[in-house]
Amino acid sequence: MVDGESGRSTAEPVGIDLVAPEVFAPMLRKLRLAALGLGIGATLLSSLWLSWPYAILLGLIVAVPTIGYVIAFQRRRMLLGGTVIHAHRLFGARDIDLAAATGVQLLVFPGRLSRIVLRVTAGADTQLVPLAMYTDAGSGRELHLLALRKLADALTASELVAEVLIAQLRAEARDAGLDERPLYRAVQLARAKDSVAAVVLTDSEVATLT
């Protein structure tokens, strides 16, 4: 999109969620309706031996936590506009500029379902951006191509990590095998350490991924 006054192009924000919130929308809608139905049922049933105010309170106790969780989940999402990550939460949002990052690391949470995330530090703020998750069987989910491209472009603070994302982008684009995908190899590195805690990949380890 072009800004008519300045003549500069302005990039539309791109979703960088590993799983887009829209994917869960039908399930969350059913969960919200189920919680509402249980709350109403609890209210009507308890009204047989409790006064209405207490019966309604009990119904709210049953329904509100689940409905609140659904609302919180729907609110959470991350967008990347230019070099700025916009992280939306239940209450408010937080912006982190990748161009001003003081630290960029690849962090692996090993396990039966291993996750690899980008940890960005800018001053006192830290933001985790999920990049991929893989099961022991070799299946999993990876961040979509456009998000990888935009993240790599924005990561001026770490050329090493940007190169890994570009290599991952190219591997996904040509449908390469898992062993040719840098993010999967990063998870394999972390699993080889036999650690139950999160593993921060060193610069030398990151360099071997591309």
Side-chain angles (χ1 to χ4, degrees), residues 78-89:
M78 281 188 291
L79 301 168
L80 178 63
T83 62
V84 179
I85 294 176
H86 308 282
H88 296 270
R89 295 171 293 180

Side-chain angles (χ1 to χ4, degrees), residues 6 159 169 190:
S6 64
E159 291 184 6
L169 170 69

Side-chain angles (χ1 to χ4, degrees), residues 67-82:
I67 293 175
Y69 171 79
V70 169
I71 293 172
F73 192 91
Q74 290 174 324
R75 280 278 302 165
R76 291 178 65 90
R77 74 170 310 164
M78 281 188 291
L79 301 168
L80 178 63

Side-chain angles (χ1 to χ4, degrees), residues 12-18 21 77-80 143-144 146-148:
E12 291 288 342
V14 173
I16 55 173
D17 295 290
L18 188 57
R77 74 170 310 164
M78 281 188 291
L79 301 168
L80 178 63
L143 195 60
H144 61 88
L146 181 57
L148 284 173

Side-chain angles (χ1 to χ4, degrees), residues 4-26:
E5 294 182 1
S6 64
R8 294 177 300 181
S9 62
T10 56
E12 291 288 342
V14 173
I16 55 173
D17 295 290
L18 188 57
V19 182
E22 293 79 10
V23 173
F24 293 106

Side-chain angles (χ1 to χ4, degrees), residues 166-189:
I166 291 172
Q168 176 73 20
L169 170 69
R170 291 171 177 165
E172 288 188 35
R174 70 173 188 273
D175 197 25
L178 281 178
D179 289 338
E180 299 178 60
R181 302 192 180 205
L183 295 182
Y184 184 74
R185 294 207 305 273
V187 167
Q188 295 292 79
L189 274 176

Side-chain angles (χ1 to χ4, degrees), residues 80-103:
L80 178 63
T83 62
V84 179
I85 294 176
H86 308 282
H88 296 270
R89 295 171 293 180
L90 177 59
F91 300 109
R94 179 174 61 186
D95 294 344
I96 291 187
D97 191 349
L98 291 175
T102 53

